[in-house]
Amino acid sequence: MGIFTAKLRVWNPASSLPAEELEVMVDTGASYSWILRSRLEPLGVRSVRRMQFRTIEGHPIERDLAPVFVATDGFTGGDNVVMAEQGDMEVMGACTLESLGIT
């Protein structure tokens, strides 16, 4: 497991423009990537389902999951990301790394 930062480009699969570019922590111990809802909704990204997660303290929380395209360092792929709420950290997780083929 390791943590470092990377630039990530995220966009709506239904429309390649606009895209949001952000710097996120890469956490290979996290399954899903978490991107703020406030970044995703202006791109037209919409939730497809709701999932339950456990916080680091062990508390259950629910968050929406949404399909996006992502790109970093010349790699592009499709992924489902957690629509993070205010106060949640933005991270790139293992599923995104796998969808990009850079695991």
Side-chain angles (χ1 to χ4, degrees):
M1 179 162 58
I3 299 175
F4 53 94
T5 62
K7 291 191 187 287
L8 182 67
R9 194 166 142 247
V10 180
W11 66 97
N12 185 336
S15 169
S16 63
L17 292 174
E20 180 76 23
E21 294 199 25
L22 53 148
E23 187 157 331
V24 294
M25 288 184 36
V26 178
D27 182 355
T28 59
S31 295
Y32 288 97
S33 292
W34 291 55
I35 308 294
L36 285 172
R37 176 185 297 275
S38 61
R39 291 186 194 266
L40 297 172
E41 286 183 339
L43 303 176
V45 173
R46 300 291 175 248
S47 168
V48 293
R49 69 181 280 206
R50 196 146 175 90
M51 287 183 63
Q52 192 170 67
F53 298 91
R54 290 215 177 269
T55 66
I56 197 164
E57 297 89 13
H59 304 293
I61 59 172
E62 285 192 359
R63 295 291 184 267
D64 290 326
L65 213 62
V68 297
F69 281 151
V70 292
T72 187
D73 292 329
F75 297 93
T76 302
D79 197 12
N80 288 313
V81 299
V82 177
M83 297 181 84
E85 300 296 342
Q86 205 64 9
D88 293 340
M89 288 186 65
E90 290 184 302
V91 298
M92 184 189 322
C95 290
T96 300
L97 294 170
E98 290 174 5
S99 78
L100 294 169
I102 54 177
T103 57

